[in-house]
Amino acid sequence: MAKAKRQYVCQNCGSATYRWQGQCADCGEWNTLVEEAAETAFSAKHDLSKGGRTIALETLDAASPMPERMLCGIAEFDRALGGGFVAGSATLIGGDPGIGKSTLLLQAAGRLAKAGKSVVYISGEEAAAQVRLRAQRLGLGDAPVALASATSVRDILATLDRQTVDFVVIDSIQTMHSDLIDSAPGTVSQVRASAQELIRHAKDSGAALVLVGHVTKDGTIAGPRVLEHMVDTVLAFEGERSHQYRILRAVKNRFGGTDEIGVFAMGDEGLGEVANPSSLFLTDRSGDVPGSVVFPALEGTRPVLVEVQALTVRLASGATPRRAVVGWDSGRLAMVLAVLEARCGLQMGGAEVYLNIAGGYRLTDPAADLAVAAALISAFSERPVPSDAIVFGELSLSGEVRPVAHDALRLREAAKLGFSRGWGPKGMKGVNGIGVTGFGRLGELVDLMLGRD
């Protein structure tokens, strides 16, 4: 038999080449090609159109039962999943080291075990004693969770086959090793093969499988993108270790929507649920401060009120101004500044601009354009926005304030927290007694804030 040809596989994107090179031609990363044995394939002379069995085809209108779900007892976790774990599903959760992935999964495993479910927790990075100590700190030392420290996929599958299991945690998939693959743990081939075997077992047995994945320097889940296609749900655990809050966001969900988030706060007893996320991101609003604006961001069906802070510093003529942004897109800030200068006549090109989203929150909602513009106008003119007002709306390059989705939902959340005014696109209607002021163009907001007639 001819010897299997060697190949070099990129550990970032999974592309393969038969010649080593310093930079991956597909993703552009440097020094990510690792030598691995090529996978065995059928000879080209085999005809796959013969010898197979006939597959039964079904119609779209065939009756299908709703998937059975398991509530883990952590409402924010169940919310991000779309209603709980689905039996026989595979979930991949990724996040920065130390963000709390293992803590959250151990809390979920402990609550499921206390609810009568058969739970197995396999750790490939920590000894069983370390996981047991963490469980005791979390107050889950008496939870009937079956615990093991192992990395061999063959041993893990042999153990799971001998019992009925409802919930399995693999922490983490990068440490798993299959003896069928001739490469080190953590390589693309090993991650792909190990995940495939574990997912196949979950589909056959009906157990809900959760895989923990490492992340790369830019925050994406490490390993080939095919791993994200193999699982049913991909969850991203976000947040800064220097801040209290954590956000669990669904990136992919075959059994639910990807527009829901779960919000947690790290405390002495693990991750606690945050029923009112707006309380984390709003500071004391007892006084009017120039450059401070409250924006009602929308995460799925949940409005979250965050504070947009801006600071402008006028420089001497000839100095090069800085543009510093934390929590928002720097390109979007440049666009808003250009619209303010070209359409509204505010000469901000010679001033340094600093923009911050309080609490370490990361804004992606396009409706934040008007709130950022209001914060910049307020900081530049030193005229504060009323502390009882929220601002939202999308801006176009022509200076038009465009409508945004779910304005009534944003206003209702603001009314609950004591806000009485809403500034936004023209045509929105007030709800729950909150007064609204609509703007068709950004210049109208500038005239209002600067007191122009």
Side-chain angles (χ1 to χ4, degrees), residues 157-178:
L157 294 178
T159 303
L160 296 177
D161 284 337
R162 291 190 177 93
Q163 53 187 315
T164 302
V165 181
D166 299 314
F167 186 72
V168 182
V169 177
I170 304 295
D171 186 9
S172 66
I173 188 61
Q174 273 80 13
T175 62
M176 296 297 111
H177 177 267
S178 172

Side-chain angles (χ1 to χ4, degrees), residues 148-160:
S149 178
T151 58
S152 172
V153 175
R154 186 182 295 272
D155 295 343
I156 293 172
L157 294 178
T159 303
L160 296 177

Side-chain angles (χ1 to χ4, degrees), residues 14 47 141 206 262 307 309 313 343:
D47 187 2
E307 185 176 358
Q309 301 172 342
V313 181
R343 307 299 183 189

Side-chain angles (χ1 to χ4, degrees), residues 144-355:
V145 176
L147 181 64
S149 178
T151 58
S152 172
V153 175
R154 186 182 295 272
D155 295 343
I156 293 172
L157 294 178
T159 303
L160 296 177
D161 284 337
R162 291 190 177 93
Q163 53 187 315
T164 302
V165 181
D166 299 314
F167 186 72
V168 182
V169 177
I170 304 295
D171 186 9
S172 66
I173 188 61
Q174 273 80 13
T175 62
M176 296 297 111
H177 177 267
S178 172
D179 53 14
L180 300 177
I181 304 297
D182 184 20
S183 59
T187 58
V188 170
S189 298
Q190 282 288 359
V191 169
R192 182 167 47 208
S194 300
Q196 183 177 4
E197 291 300 316
L198 290 167
I199 293 171
R200 180 194 57 79
H201 177 272
K203 301 296 183 184
D204 294 341
S205 65
L209 172 69
V210 180
L211 306 175
V212 177
H214 293 171
V215 295
T216 59
K217 293 181 295 183
D218 56 355
T220 59
I221 297 177
R225 295 300 300 238
V226 69
L227 183 60
E228 298 184 21
H229 296 294
M230 293 167 63
V231 299
D232 300 305
T233 305
V234 179
L235 300 175
F237 207 32
E238 305 171 355
E240 299 290 339
R241 281 182 289 178
S242 58
H243 290 92
Q244 181 187 19
Y245 83 96
R246 306 285 190 271
I247 292 180
L248 186 65
R249 190 187 307 273
V251 180
K252 168 191 174 181
N253 194 349
R254 289 175 178 163
F255 303 105
T258 57
D259 55 357
E260 293 290 355
I261 63 169
V263 185
F264 303 87
M266 181 64 78
D268 296 336
E269 297 182 355
L271 290 162
E273 301 176 59
V274 178
N276 182 16
S278 301
S279 62
L280 289 178
F281 309 114
L282 289 181
T283 57
D284 182 19
R285 309 269 313 160
S286 57
D288 294 337
V289 180
S292 177
V293 174
V294 175
F295 165 63
L298 200 64
E299 294 286 355
T301 60
R302 165 182 285 179
V304 180
L305 270 61
V306 297
E307 185 176 358
V308 179
Q309 301 172 342
L311 178 65
T312 61
V313 181
R314 292 180 174 85
L315 298 178
S317 178
T320 302
R322 287 191 60 192
R323 302 286 188 265
V325 187
V326 178
W328 205 47
D329 183 20
S330 58
R332 200 97 181 162
L333 173 64
M335 185 201 77
V336 173
L337 288 171
V339 173
L340 284 172
E341 185 156 347
R343 307 299 183 189
C344 304
L346 292 183
Q347 302 300 320
M348 303 181 68
E352 288 190 340
V353 176
Y354 301 90
L355 184 72

